Amino acid sequence: MFKSITNCKYFIIISCIISWSSFAGNVSPNDPAIASAHPLATQAGYDILKQGGNAFDAAVAVSSVLSVVEPYSSGLGGGGFFLLHRESDQFQIFVDAREKAPGKADADMYLDEFKNVIPRVSLDGTLAAGIPGLAAGLTHVSEKYGVLPLDQVLAPAIALAENGFPVYERFITALKVAIAIDVMSPKFIENFTLEGEIPEVGTLIKQPELANTLRVIASQGHDGFYNSELTETIVTESNESGSIWTTNDFKNYEIVEREPLQVKFSDYQLTLAPPPSSGGTTIATILNILSEYNYRDMNTAEFVHLITEAMRRAYKDRSEFLGDPDFVVVPVLKLISKNNAIKHSSSINLDRATPSKQIGKSFEANPKEKGTETTHFSILDQDGNRVSTTQTINTWFGSGYMLPSAGFILNNEMDDFSAKAFAPNRYGLVHGEANSKAPNKRMVSSMSPTFIESKDDLAILGTPGGAKIITMVLLSLISWTEGADADAMTSGRRFHHQYLPDEIHHEKDAFGEDVIDSLVSKGHSLKEIGDYGNMQVVTYKKSDGSVKASSDPRALIENSEIDFY
Ligand code: DON
């Protein structure tokens, strides 16, 4: 894979205005295509398309079903980003349904009297939860961009919550993690275990309270979740378990429609996630640094060294400058400028690794999460409308707290803020003041729903994986420009550097022995970790209309039989 990467020339031009019409081909997709992490969600998406829905309707169906059947990854208690493309007028938008800090949050809420970080308060229980955004995202996408009524697109999720879904291996793995860290609230135990015991594969898990919550949203829309009797119950129950949520936090919650980041890379147009995601900015910064080099003649080891140095510098920028753009000025254009790439390149030594402490601060960072929780799906409908969505409650089963009446698990997204400046979070990520907590502020995310398009092809992609999302999407989109197909994009071996800790994390077989020897001789520390990520890719070839959907082989749910469109 990396051999071929090094044989190509990259060139990035930052472009805020692009002519999408120049990419519009005459052929339409032969079929729609959906890639998601669970066959029941994929099926629901195809069913909604069959009923006359468009990609945006299908997205609401897939998203809500994932909330039911993958409650360890995402749900109504969390948030997400929806990257949309409407084919008829080439309109693109990034729907930011990220959680917000409660109004009573303050910058020091996870510190003790000596200003030390209190372990796990930002991860376990109701104090770890931001105000959920997913329900607002679903109602917004449905009402503004869909063609079917909200109750119709939520029907598959309601049915699965009411009638149950069969337990599968991955669900059991997630339950084991929750049991090991002992975070499960009483309602969680009641819903997902047999009196504390892990259910067997195939056991039906029913969630009647969640079905009810979905029904309220289906009939009352946004207000059903954010300004209703249900809201009162959500706030009261969470307060009884220690949350600082208020009904005003919910009344004030709104999604934000943001301009996606547009960058040009070789012959490709990238549509990337803007802040409060750090994904697009970091990906563009890395690609810009690469394009400062003529590396067509580099061998794999030289290329991996170079891209690692680019990752190091881009993640350093991320740690200092990324924050909620509604609260802090995030200098995106400066970060993804050629000048910044030149500045970073001037400190890169092609023969030696640059110790991270030499270019910035030195902190202990020991990431605890590898990255398969959270979930992504990609959709292309037959009219060419597209959706790329990543949604999350953060770590496995989020905060572990399930609301007794509303039946969903609260996120622990507050851990994506810095507990204090440059204190590493669960992913070992460090952040400065730009990502400090403040009432109603959104925490920085790594979620990176992405489109990459040329005049001939299109790929829609994204993945879970915490801090590693960014480098997974980066490596995958580079491989796409080198001719990889959807399956190669989801299965390509992965590696990652995030500035701190100062080490290259890599999957088994990501590098040959010669590459490892070369990287070590240049001064890199390498750490082999297990497989990570759960990438979902849809591709479309404009010349013949062919489409392909591919799900990450690392996390495939077996025995799936999907009735395609
Ligand atoms: O928004 C973020 O960046 C994280 N909360 C995503 C969490 C995630 O991908 C979990 N996987 N390891």
Side-chain angles (χ1 to χ4, degrees), residues 509-524:
D509 298 333
F511 308 131
E513 281 305 317
D514 54 330
V515 174
I516 291 178
D517 290 348
S518 167
L519 291 169
V520 170
S521 76
K522 286 182 161 72
H524 291 285

Side-chain angles (χ1 to χ4, degrees), residues 60 76 133-144 149-154 158 212-231 234 250 253 255:
V60 176
L76 296 180
L134 193 72
L138 294 176
T139 55
H140 181 82
V141 170
S142 168
E143 284 157 13
K144 187 156 179 193
L150 183 60
D151 59 351
Q152 190 173 341
V153 291
L154 290 179
I158 294 170
N212 217 33
T213 300
L214 284 161
R215 265 193 217 100
V216 174
I217 298 170
S219 61
Q220 296 175 42
H222 177 101
D223 278 356
F225 192 86
Y226 292 94
N227 192 8
S228 72
E229 252 178 63
L230 174 68
T231 321
I234 289 171
F250 281 72
Y253 186 90
I255 62 92

Side-chain angles (χ1 to χ4, degrees), residues 5-11 265 287 289-299 303 306:
I5 283 174
T6 58
N7 286 337
C8 123
K9 194 184 208 170
Y10 299 102
F11 184 57
F265 173 55
L287 293 174
I289 295 171
L290 287 185
S291 64
E292 285 304 305
Y293 293 82
N294 178 6
Y295 48 85
R296 271 181 300 173
D297 300 328
M298 284 183 179
N299 62 33
F303 177 76
L306 174 61

Side-chain angles (χ1 to χ4, degrees), residues 5 10 26 29 59 67 77 98 138 156 185 209 212 267-269 285 361 365 381 392 402 458 460 468 471 540:
I5 283 174
Y10 299 102
N26 296 325
S67 298
R98 182 72 163 161
L138 294 176
S185 68
E209 294 84 5
N212 217 33
D267 292 332
Y268 292 82
Q269 189 69 42
T285 306
K361 302 180 169 29
D381 72 17
T392 186
M402 180 182 274
L458 163 73
I460 305 170
K468 295 184 172 70
T471 50
Y540 165 44

Side-chain angles (χ1 to χ4, degrees), residues 193-269:
T193 69
L194 303 169
E195 295 175 358
E197 297 298 314
I198 293 180
E200 283 179 11
V201 168
T203 310
L204 276 191
I205 297 275
K206 299 185 182 181
Q207 303 171 79
E209 294 84 5
L210 181 59
N212 217 33
T213 300
L214 284 161
R215 265 193 217 100
V216 174
I217 298 170
S219 61
Q220 296 175 42
H222 177 101
D223 278 356
F225 192 86
Y226 292 94
N227 192 8
S228 72
E229 252 178 63
L230 174 68
T231 321
E232 305 269 346
T233 310
I234 289 171
V235 171
T236 307
E237 284 185 351
S238 72
N239 288 167
E240 281 164 9
S241 287
S243 93
I244 52 173
W245 289 1
T246 66
T247 49
N248 269 343
D249 290 336
F250 281 72
K251 275 187 198 143
N252 296 335
Y253 186 90
E254 280 176 0
I255 62 92
V256 184
E257 287 209 334
R258 304 187 192 275
E259 286 291 321
L261 220 56
Q262 301 286 357
V263 302
K264 198 152 190 308
F265 173 55
S266 182
D267 292 332
Y268 292 82
Q269 189 69 42

Side-chain angles (χ1 to χ4, degrees), residues 98 371-374 392 394 413 416 427 445-447 464-466 469:
R98 182 72 163 161
T372 44
E373 54 273 40
T374 298
T392 186
N394 199 22
E413 223 72 58
D416 280 348
Y427 305 102
S445 173
S446 299
M447 293 187 292
I469 291 174

Side-chain angles (χ1 to χ4, degrees), residues 107-108 111 117 361 363 418-424 430-434 436:
D108 293 346
L111 304 184
V117 179
K361 302 180 169 29
F363 294 97
S418 39
K420 71 176 181 184
F422 298 104
V430 294
H431 302 103
E433 288 305 326
S436 63

